Every structure is written in structure tokens, then in C-alpha cells.
Amino acid sequence: MVSPAIALAFIPLLLTVLIKYRYFFVLFYRAILVRIWKDCTTGLSREERAYQYVLTHCTLGDPDSILDAFDIWCSNVEFISNIGPKKGKILDRLLMEQSPLTVLELGAHCGYSTVRIARSLPLGARLYSVEMDQRNAAITEKIIRMAGFDDSTVELIVNPSDEVIPRLRSDYSLEKLDLVFMDHWKKCYLPDLQLLEDSGLLGKGSMVLADNVLFPGAPKFLRYLRKCGLYEWKIHRATLEYSRGIRDGMAELIYQGIK
């Protein structure tokens, strides 16, 4: 049995750990514990709960209203890992600067970033959004249409990214991607980037944006960027979406081609 004196000696250490990692404890509570509780008590997935909130708090046909409703829900109710408003502004700026005509999104989740990208595209541009989870894809489809975008602007593809990328030329007649946004499983960032390289869909000047490269992190992806010499790249540092005190960043890559 631990003596009271030894137990008291550990209190300063415990307090130090709690203070130092308090933001991670808050994230664990909001992202894991609340989700488990709500899943059990509502019978709905977290994404379905978010959709219900957005549906009842947004103005149909208004992308900004839909994004605002998502941001309020994710900030105050439950945590969802989408790009969020702070890093979203970086994405908005890059989209305005690049004016891409052909965009590929890997990881639609429940449609937040899909709407964010689609609303910034120039006239005649098209977004191909890939989501492997069928339940999430069904929500994304509703969110896209609620925002007022039809199939001529946004096409949702429900399949794993490693199956979709090799077929983009043959099935969707794509010759070059102007911009790729990655926000799916972080372990897929590197193999999917290499698939894009092998497919020939990245031309000189093509931009690739990859979210959450610092937290939860994509270390193999970053190591590859440092060594391959195919990209000019940098990291836009920020904090994790809908969180404070957790450092994160979005990688911006400009493809230079084989040297």
C-alpha cells in the first residue's frame, strides 16, 4: 500500500502533467468520450448529429451559413476534425490566388471542406471529392446540395482513394490536377501522393495541400518531401481546428517535376 507521504510527493508531478497537457485532455474528452456517450444515447453517428444541427441552423443555398453552422457545432458541441475556420482562411486565400479549374479532394468526411473549396472556385471549375465511408458520403452529398452545388461543380466519388486515383484518367477523363487537398487518413498521404505522381496527373505548378501534418501528424510524408526534390514546399503553422494550445500545420506543395 502506498504511504500518504509518497502519494503527496506525486501531487506536484500530477499537477504539472495536467497543466502541461490540459488541451490534449480536453480534446480527448470532446473527441472521444463525448462521442462514445452520444453514440450510445442517440443511436446516430457524430456526423449525422452534426448534419442535423447544420440542417436546422443554416440558410439553404448559402455556403457561408452552412460553414458557420458547422463551426458553431464543432466549437461548442462536439469535435470534428475538419480544416476549421482558421486554417480554412489559408485554404481560401490559396484557392483565390491559384484559381484552379480541376481540384481533387481526398477525404470529404461530412462535407465541410468540400463546401469551403467549392464556394471559392472560379466559373467553370470542377471539384472531385473522394470519401470512402458510405455513411459519411451520404451526409456529404446532402451538405453539398444544401449549399447549392450540383454535379457540374462537385462530383462525389465513394471509394477508397488508392482505388480512385489510378482511374482518374480513364474514368473521369482528367489530364491534370491543378490542386489537390488531402484531409483523409494521414497514413495515406504519402502513398496517395506517390500514386498521383505515378499517374502523371501532377504537372509543373500543381499544388497539393495536406492538413494536420503536425498533429496528429504525417511524419513519413514530411520525410519524403525533404528528400524527394520534386516540390517546393512549406508548412503553414496554426493550431488544431476547434482547439487551443495544440500545434498543427498545413503543408503547401508546389510540384516542380522530375529534375
Side-chain angles (χ1 to χ4, degrees):
M1 184 175 180
V2 178
S3 70
I6 294 176
L8 287 173
F10 277 98
I11 289 178
L13 175 61
L14 178 61
L15 289 175
T16 300
V17 171
L18 288 174
I19 292 170
K20 183 176 181 180
Y21 296 103
R22 62 191 182 279
Y23 296 116
F24 294 93
F25 290 128
V26 171
L27 178 64
F28 177 77
Y29 169 76
R30 295 189 65 230
I32 305 299
L33 298 183
V34 172
R35 179 180 184 176
I36 293 172
W37 171 254
K38 293 287 187 178
D39 284 354
C40 293
T41 57
T42 67
L44 301 173
S45 71
R46 177 180 55 181
E47 292 75 17
E48 289 168 334
R49 294 191 294 274
Y51 167 73
Q52 287 189 343
Y53 180 90
V54 172
L55 179 62
T56 56
H57 290 80
C58 76
T59 301
L60 297 181
D62 184 349
D64 293 347
S65 172
I66 289 171
L67 295 178
D68 289 343
F70 263 118
D71 289 335
I72 292 170
W73 193 86
C74 294
S75 296
N76 301 326
V77 185
E78 292 186 59
F79 176 87
I80 282 186
S81 180
N82 55 53
I83 192 172
K86 293 182 179 180
K87 286 181 290 181
K89 290 179 180 178
I90 300 172
L91 174 61
D92 296 344
R93 175 175 58 80
L94 294 173
L95 285 165
M96 294 297 292
E97 292 174 356
Q98 294 294 313
S99 295
L101 292 177
T102 306
V103 180
L104 175 67
E105 177 188 33
L106 301 178
H109 198 180
C110 49
Y112 179 95
S113 55
T114 313
V115 170
R116 188 144 207 145
I117 293 170
R119 71 170 184 170
S120 297
L121 293 180
L123 187 65
R126 193 158 196 208
L127 168 60
Y128 298 85
S129 184
V130 179
E131 174 56 51
M132 66 177 291
D133 186 288
Q134 292 189 356
R135 290 181 70 181
N136 289 347
I139 295 168
T140 296
E141 180 78 30
K142 295 175 185 176
I143 292 291
I144 293 169
R145 307 315 168 203
M146 281 167 53
F149 302 112
D150 58 22
D151 286 332
S152 65
T153 302
V154 180
E155 180 164 354
L156 182 62
I157 305 170
V158 187
N159 259 321
S161 55
D162 60 349
E163 295 181 12
V164 173
I165 293 172
R167 302 203 312 264
L168 287 173
R169 281 185 179 275
S170 59
D171 292 2
Y172 299 92
S173 302
L174 296 184
E175 295 297 325
K176 178 190 173 185
L177 293 167
D178 299 315
L179 188 143
V180 179
F181 179 62
M182 295 183 170
D183 197 11
H184 53 330
W185 292 106
K186 312 316 164 193
K187 66 181 180 181
C188 297
Y189 280 14
L190 178 54
D192 282 354
L193 182 66
Q194 292 173 326
L195 279 176
L196 289 166
E197 293 167 0
D198 294 341
S199 71
L201 290 168
L202 298 180
K204 186 173 177 61
S206 292
M207 176 179 285
V208 180
L209 300 173
D211 194 20
N212 303 125
V213 295
L214 299 183
F215 185 88
K220 291 182 180 179
F221 176 80
L222 294 179
R223 282 198 296 270
Y224 176 76
L225 295 182
R226 295 187 186 101
K227 294 179 180 180
C228 71
L230 298 177
Y231 302 90
E232 291 182 359
W233 67 282
K234 61 182 176 181
I235 294 178
H236 297 276
R237 295 182 181 271
T239 54
L240 183 69
E241 54 272 11
Y242 312 114
S243 299
R244 294 189 303 162
I246 300 177
R247 295 179 181 179
D248 190 22
M250 179 169 62
E252 174 192 338
L253 293 59
I254 305 296
Y255 186 67
Q256 301 300 307
I258 299 174
K259 297 181 179 180

